[in-house]
Each structure stands twice: as structure tokens, then as C-alpha cells.
Amino acid sequence: MRKLAVPVIACLLALTGLYLLRKPPADGGGAVPGSAAVIRNVIFINGDGMAAAHREAGRLFHAGPDGSLAMDRFPYSGQLTTSPADPASVVTDSAAGASAWATGRRTYNGAVSVDTRGRSLPTLGAQAKRAGRATGLVTTAQVTDATPAAFFANAVDRKGQDDIARQYLEVSKPDVILGGGEDWWLPAGTSGAHPDRPSADPSEASLGRRGDLIAQARDDGYQYVSTAGGLAAADGGRLLGLFANEEMFQQNGDVYEPPVDLATMTQKALGILAADPDGFFLLVEEEAVDEFAHANNGRRVLQAMGRLDRAVEVAQSFAAAHPGTLVVVTGDHETGGLAVVDGDAFPVKGTGLRFGLRWTTTGHTAQDVPVSAYGPLADRFTGKHPNTYVHEVLAPMLTR
Ligand SMILES: [Zn+2]
């Protein structure tokens, strides 16, 4: 018996091993055979600075206690931690946060998809393009700001926005680029469509050191638009839209009226990208949640949350009509150390109640951020994970 048992057990173990090797992992780990193929399109949405309290405040204000934001109705949600790999900080900035999503690696604050030694890492945006997909980015920040930059460029310092613009044209080549930041695409003295030193912020002026990148974009076949009307009239092909010198709202102001709505830009981008039979990757970002949270300006944060959620609705409607589209909504970090409390500052929709917002900092915090997902494989975004997990899930979908 004993002499027989050893080979029999060995044989059983070998067969079990073979079975395990062949069986797709039950949790869909990495590339699930068959399943990844059903993902054609990925829409990744960043509410910059948005965590649980911003979402709850937005829900109470825009939908009421019995209602929900569009992002709250996504069928799967989880939590992400946001720790950077920074020698001086446990709290991430937008550059390290987006680098974690785009490369799967934690890095230092200010890094744009480079590792802790400054070496460039492959980015999801560039990889998706190499795999034959159309790509795009839409933001109310500068199109070369940290979040979009991390998906489509590499830089040891996020401040080099003119070189990030150059990399878009010469390296990663997103098909659609919509947002602010015209100042970085033009050399000093060339004001472009948006006048230098406007009264709303006299510090704004063209400052690029990489030549006239808008002319270069036109030479490369991009249609260039700078107004809402121009965007509406743009038809297919590659599209560059820069609707402000810097952010599409005044960073230090108390007005949130972007010249083109985030939802409108998202709709336009989807219309163009959907023409690619190989699918697409689109990054969408609302910057104003973060910037008004830095200013502890609750009223404007609520307004920006409403605009962000309209863009989420646009993405979700597109996904509902185009099977094989995954939509993911999250934030890169929490801003403001925000709490929702009883108070009288803001009305709760549909009730006689009111609520207040309490801020504990004008900076970012290390709080977790919620992540919500809709579409095929959305269930991967449950549980609690580091923010690098976004890359772990999306990379196998986008790079094949
Ligand atoms: Zn911030």
C-alpha cells in the first residue's frame, strides 16, 4: 500500500496542478481568458480630490437623502488607499496618485509616471495606443496637468507642462485632447486664442519653451478649437481643444463657470473615439473639486461635484448603449479633510433640512477614496486595495 500510495498521490497532485493551471482564476485575477476580450472601451473618471465626504455632500445637495448621484448608482464600489512612495510625505499629490493608476507603481510626489529613481515607466495611455486603441483625455485643468500627464507622458517633475504637451504630440499621440492650459502650448509673446494677462488673472501668459505646439498639432492633423462653438462644430479625426490659458476656471477665484462643460467635452470625446473599431481609452477629470476644496469653498465644491456627476451620467449612458464599455469613477486623493455635519450652510435637496461642511486642512489628506465601476468586469473594483490596483485591473484590458 505504502509503495503504491506515493506514486498515486504524486499523480493526483500533478493532475490537480494541471487543473488549477487550466482553470481561469475564480476572482478573475489579471487577464481572465475570454473575459478581457469583451472589454472594448475604458472610461476612467477622476474627481480630483474627491473622497467619501465630497460624494456624500454632493448627494445631499444634488439628490437628497433618498436620492443618489449617478456615480452612487454604479453596481460595484470599493476603496483605494493612496500612499505615495515619497521620502517626505505619507500624503499623495495628484502626480504620484495618477502615476500609480497609469503605471502600477507608487512613486514620489511630483513624479509623472517615473519611478522613485526618475526612470520612465510605460503608461496606460501610451500602451493602449500601441495596442491599437484610440485614446483621449478630457479635463477642466490644464490638459498637461498632473493627472492626464501621468497617463500620457513621463516627467521627473510635473511642472514641465510644455514638455508634456510635446510628448503628447510626438510620443503618446492621444486622438482627443480637451481642457485648459493653452499657455503651455505657445512660446512667450504668442498669446493664442486666449489673451495673455487677462484681468481675471494677470499672471496668465503663454510660457512654453517647445515652440508653437498648436501649429505642430495642426501639421500632425489635429483640428484645433478654443471655444464652445468650435468644439460643437468639430467633426471627427484628431481633436485638440484648449478653452483657457490655464484651468478652465480661476484657481483662486470664487466662480465656477467653465467655458465648456465637462459633460459636453466628454460627450464630444466619446463621439470621436467610438469610431475606432478597436476600442478606446478615455480619461475624464474634474479638477475643480480639488481646487475649491483647497480653498475650503464648499459652495463651489458642490457645484463642481454636480458638473462631474453629469459627465459620469454621459459616460454611463454611453456604456449602457455600447456593451463592452467599462466606466470607473474614483478620486486621486482626499482634499480638505472634509466632514459633513449638521449646520445651516447648504440645503438638503427635497427636504427642509440643511447641512454644513467642516474642513480640517487646506491640503490633501491620506483618507481612502471610494472607487465605483459600471460595465464588464466592474466587480473587480470591490474590496480595499492600494491605488496601484487600478493599473492591475486595467492594464490587461488595455494592452492587448
Ligand atoms: Zn490638490
Side-chain angles (χ1 to χ4, degrees), residues 48-49 94 287 290-291 294 333 335 364:
D48 202 303
S94 290
E287 173 72 6
D290 176 63
E291 296 205 9
H294 276 290
H333 51 74
T335 303
H364 300 175

Side-chain angles (χ1 to χ4, degrees), residues 110 112 144 155-164 184 207 209:
V112 175
T144 47
V156 294
D157 184 343
R158 61 184 283 175
K159 293 195 190 83
Q161 293 192 53
D162 47 2
D163 192 63
I164 288 163
W184 299 92
L207 74 172
R209 297 156 303 176

Side-chain angles (χ1 to χ4, degrees), residues 323-346:
T325 304
L326 171 67
V327 186
V328 181
V329 182
T330 188
D332 49 1
H333 51 74
E334 198 274 351
T335 303
L338 179 61
V340 180
V341 298
D342 279 322
D344 57 9
F346 306 103

